Amino acid sequence: MPSESKFTRPRDDCPHPEWWTADNGHATEHQVTVLVAAFVTALQPDYVVETGSYHGQTARAIGLALKANGHGRLDSVEVD
């Protein structure tokens, strides 16, 4: 997994992009995907809307979390 620093230069609001990993410059960082899935597990939503699904790694993680919860529905929208 490439370090986010390959795609993002350090800045004041993100001085260490090398701490995160992503498949490319457009993909969600893997650590963020895990965090989103953890929110779904903790919050137990009945309905989730994801906007901007790119290749679907986070949509898949959300779907798996909903399945593990035993309830919930996901609508994922990608305008491109």
Side-chain angles (χ1 to χ4, degrees), residues 29-30 33 45 48 52 62 70 73-74 79:
E29 293 80 4
H30 296 132
T33 295
V48 177
I62 293 168
R73 176 179 151 200
L74 167 64
V79 296

Side-chain angles (χ1 to χ4, degrees), residues 7-24:
F7 318 112
T8 305
R9 291 188 359 217
R11 359 177 258 256
D12 288 343
D13 62 335
C14 184
H16 298 284
E18 70 277 7
W19 291 352
W20 290 271
T21 56
D23 293 334
N24 60 52

Side-chain angles (χ1 to χ4, degrees), residues 2-6 11-13 18 20 25 35 39 41 45-46 48 55-56 60 62 65 69-70 72-73 75 77-78:
S3 168
E4 183 66 25
S5 63
K6 179 177 179 182
R11 359 177 258 256
D12 288 343
D13 62 335
E18 70 277 7
W20 290 271
L35 176 63
F39 279 130
T41 300
D46 288 321
V48 177
H55 285 282
R60 182 176 189 278
I62 293 168
N69 287 351
R73 176 179 151 200
D75 282 330
V77 179
E78 175 56 66

